[in-house]
Amino acid sequence: MARTFILWLHGLGDSGPANEPIQTQFKSSELSNASWLFPSAPFNPVTCNNGAVMRSWFDVPELPFKVGSPIDESSVLEAVKNVHAIIDQEIAEGTNPENVFICGLSQGGALTLASVLLYPKTLGGGAVLSGWVPFTSSIISQFPEEAKKTPILWSHGTDDRMVLFEAGQAALPLLKEAGVTCEFKAYPGLGHSISNKELKYIESWIKRRLKGSSSTCLQLNCLKEMFH
């Protein structure tokens, strides 16, 4: 039976274990045995918080994030290497790359986007929740052709005041230029948070993209801190 793997990347200052309850919202039989991993980002100084140390996948120069906000592309690319190591290990254990899904909220969503589009194989999909584009258009030339086939689902609340809705929308022309398929879903009235409606749609979106058997037979990974 097919294996399915879902990697969930948390937002700035959060942790993997704090996000584990999200798994309980995915109740469909097709995902009942899916293997989930909720890693925690390392502790790093963060520029937008005056250099305060907190869990952060990469440095964030400015929040709220809006169209034109500065980015630290080099630290993003370093974080991507660590995400790719997790994916490589999962695929080595027998999971079809197209049954590997990465989901992330806010900073985790930004890292999801970068990780998916720079991976050398086509994955099942990348779900970006209230995220942003953490790289410049010059990176497009580095997207492997197989990565461009990975579908992106972008969910964003219209009332988001931390990562502005317009900043999310700004991803669309860039992704179109790169030849990447992106479904953008706006959630009216939603701020910088996750709604049950949003999670239900992500669940159905993943189910539609599963390859092989509709059943999943997966090993549960230890939920542990990564990226040391």
Side-chain angles (χ1 to χ4, degrees):
M1 290 184 288
R3 293 163 56 93
T4 302
F5 178 69
I6 302 173
L7 175 64
W8 190 278
L9 303 175
H10 64 75
L12 179 66
D14 206 350
S15 72
N19 284 259
E20 289 175 23
I22 289 170
Q23 179 180 348
T24 65
Q25 300 300 309
F26 287 61
K27 302 181 185 297
S28 62
S29 58
E30 294 91 337
L31 298 175
S32 60
N33 292 318
S35 179
W36 291 72
L37 185 63
F38 295 86
S40 292
F43 287 99
N44 285 309
V46 178
T47 300
C48 68
N49 286 329
N50 297 313
V53 174
M54 60 180 57
R55 290 196 181 277
S56 178
W57 301 112
F58 53 85
D59 193 26
V60 180
E62 178 179 281
L63 284 178
F65 193 93
K66 54 186 181 294
V67 176
S69 284
I71 54 177
D72 186 342
E73 197 170 85
S74 61
S75 67
V76 172
L77 295 178
E78 283 301 311
V80 164
K81 293 178 184 177
N82 292 319
V83 175
H84 284 181
I86 294 175
I87 301 171
D88 288 344
Q89 180 179 347
E90 186 62 29
I91 292 173
E93 291 176 2
T95 303
N96 182 332
E98 293 188 59
N99 283 337
V100 171
F101 298 87
I102 309 178
C103 308
L105 172 67
S106 190
Q107 188 193 38
L111 181 55
T112 292
L113 184 69
S115 299
V116 164
L117 294 181
L118 290 168
Y119 197 69
K121 297 178 181 179
T122 303
L123 301 177
V128 179
L129 296 82
S130 303
W132 67 86
V133 177
F135 45 73
T136 61
S137 58
S138 62
I139 293 292
I140 291 177
S141 63
Q142 298 181 30
F143 294 170
E145 287 303 313
E146 291 301 310
K148 295 178 182 179
K149 300 175 186 177
T150 301
I152 302 295
L153 172 63
W154 197 299
S155 305
H156 218 117
T158 60
D159 290 358
D160 195 329
R161 296 293 178 262
M162 184 60 67
V163 180
L164 301 189
F165 181 72
E166 293 76 15
Q169 285 183 311
L172 296 177
L174 184 147
L175 295 176
K176 182 178 180 180
E177 177 188 349
V180 176
T181 300
C182 179
E183 178 182 356
F184 189 96
K185 288 188 69 66
Y187 288 84
L190 182 66
H192 194 65
S193 60
I194 303 174
S195 71
N196 288 334
K197 183 177 181 181
E198 207 174 3
L199 291 176
K200 287 298 179 187
Y201 190 81
I202 292 172
E203 179 180 25
S204 66
W205 181 79
I206 290 176
K207 284 167 55 180
R208 292 196 302 270
R209 283 159 178 77
L210 291 175
K211 302 296 181 181
S213 169
S214 60
S215 301
T216 54
C217 181
L218 309 162
Q219 299 174 345
L220 287 176
N221 290 319
C222 276
L223 297 175
K224 57 186 178 180
E225 293 188 5
M226 308 290 290
F227 300 71
H228 289 305

